[in-house]
Amino acid sequence: MISRRIAPRCLAVVLAAAAAAVLPVATASAEPVPPASGAEAELVPGVAPGPGYQPWQIDTPDQALPPRVYEPGEEEDAVEPRGAVAGTYDLVEFVPLADAVARVACTRSAGPHQRQVERWLKRTVDGKQSAGDCKAIRAFQVKEKIKPAIGFAGPVTWARMQLLSARKNPNAAKKCPVRSYRVACVDLTRQLTWVQQGEKVVYGPVPMRSGRAGYRTRAGWHTVYWRHKNHVSTLYNQPMPYSQFFSGGQAFHAVYGSIFTTVGSMGCVNLRLGDARKLWGVLKKGDRVYVWGHRPGT
């Protein structure tokens, strides 16, 4: 019998082998990928990978060093980055391996965000999974198109709840400084970003993925110093659509893979393609960026 502790690592080997067949090899300068930490390290994607959803693609095309800055010509700037494959940004929950294999209808396992999810759904907050909890969580997952809808209080379900709570007023806690000029707000704790001018939100909030342990997105004030619509990473030779650099090699940019993974980026603020495209039309060179908080698990 294979223990649950070892099994996820076995699955990771299978996924890594699959990745080797479809992903370009990173350059020699690429750093090894640290594993996820905490309770989420034992979880796996709850549905099999499809053409657009690749859970092994956790090495996003980020840069450790500032890019070579130049002025793109009109011909280059006129090219729009390619679209993402259908299903790329599906909300796929991470669940215990046993549940994924058995394809359970309603899990008995308490998730890593059990208490937060119980509180959000106005259930009894005890951190224990009950039949009623599972039914309520499952109903939310069905409504929000989270797969698999088995009632597991995982990171994707909790991220979706945080986004819904933040839509009306993402800066309710006043964590992002209010200024007369545009400020791109990056909330590492909730994994959300938006742009505000004064107290008016002019973009977002939208979900994002920030830097993992060892490659954290740098906190504090920054300035958008270079924008490159069709940027390609010099480290991974991978596209970084709609890149807007604000701190050395760290930038807002889209990725052609799920941003809902338990492992963070290599420092950049990863966005879905549509969100990155809209942000491109909102921010300008010289706009300010404010980063705060702490990504869960880092």
Side-chain angles (χ1 to χ4, degrees), residues 4-107:
R4 287 182 61 189
R5 179 169 296 276
I6 297 176
R9 298 191 179 96
C10 295
L11 179 67
V13 172
V14 175
L15 295 179
V22 298
L23 295 178
V25 178
T27 63
S29 60
E31 295 287 344
V33 181
S37 60
E40 293 177 11
E42 298 295 324
L43 305 179
V44 300
V47 299
Y53 181 73
Q54 300 176 343
W56 54 74
Q57 193 172 351
I58 58 176
D59 250 333
T60 59
D62 301 333
Q63 301 223 35
L65 300 174
R68 181 175 65 87
V69 176
Y70 69 97
E71 192 66 33
E74 290 185 9
E75 184 176 353
E76 178 186 347
D77 232 19
V79 176
E80 288 297 323
R82 65 179 172 85
V85 176
T88 297
Y89 307 118
D90 284 356
L91 299 175
V92 177
E93 185 57 275
F94 288 75
V95 303
L97 179 65
D99 286 349
V101 171
R103 297 182 180 178
V104 300
C106 216
T107 183

Side-chain angles (χ1 to χ4, degrees), residues 72-284:
E74 290 185 9
E75 184 176 353
E76 178 186 347
D77 232 19
V79 176
E80 288 297 323
R82 65 179 172 85
V85 176
T88 297
Y89 307 118
D90 284 356
L91 299 175
V92 177
E93 185 57 275
F94 288 75
V95 303
L97 179 65
D99 286 349
V101 171
R103 297 182 180 178
V104 300
C106 216
T107 183
R108 297 181 179 180
S109 302
H113 300 282
Q114 188 73 30
R115 289 182 179 274
Q116 295 102 313
V117 169
E118 288 171 344
R119 186 174 294 107
W120 199 90
L121 291 171
K122 296 181 170 56
R123 304 283 305 170
T124 300
V125 181
D126 57 10
K128 300 176 182 178
Q129 179 78 322
S130 67
D133 289 339
C134 187
K135 183 179 179 180
I137 298 170
R138 189 173 185 277
F140 173 84
Q141 292 170 334
V142 169
K143 181 180 179 182
E144 297 299 322
K145 299 180 180 180
I146 298 172
K147 303 179 293 184
I150 62 172
F152 186 73
V156 176
T157 298
W158 177 231
R160 186 65 180 173
M161 289 177 172
Q162 290 190 98
L163 174 62
L164 293 176
S165 296
R167 277 182 171 169
K168 186 175 181 180
N169 182 11
N171 202 32
K174 306 297 182 184
K175 297 287 187 179
C176 191
V178 174
R179 298 291 187 268
S180 60
Y181 46 83
R182 282 189 301 271
V183 177
C185 306
V186 180
D187 184 342
L188 302 180
T189 303
R190 293 184 295 173
Q191 291 292 282
L192 297 174
T193 191
W194 66 91
V195 179
Q196 62 189 34
Q197 185 162 6
E199 295 187 351
K200 182 181 180 180
V201 175
V202 297
Y203 166 87
V206 298
M208 67 178 206
R209 177 177 54 188
S210 65
R212 68 188 71 173
Y215 300 90
R216 293 175 182 169
T217 305
R218 289 181 279 275
W221 281 104
H222 309 286
T223 301
V224 175
Y225 71 88
W226 190 54
R227 289 161 29 98
H228 192 193
K229 183 188 295 182
N230 293 289
H231 191 67
V232 176
S233 169
T234 55
L235 288 180
Y236 296 92
N237 193 31
Q238 289 285 309
M240 295 171 62
Y242 303 105
S243 286
Q244 302 193 68
F245 289 87
F246 58 82
S247 177
Q250 297 187 353
F252 295 105
H253 70 84
V255 290
Y256 291 109
S258 176
I259 65 170
F260 302 104
T261 63
T262 58
V263 177
S265 74
M266 298 293 282
C268 287
V269 175
N270 296 162
L271 301 168
R272 297 172 298 191
L273 187 70
D275 294 334
R277 183 184 297 117
K278 290 179 182 177
L279 184 61
W280 179 266
V282 173
L283 292 182
K284 305 297 179 187

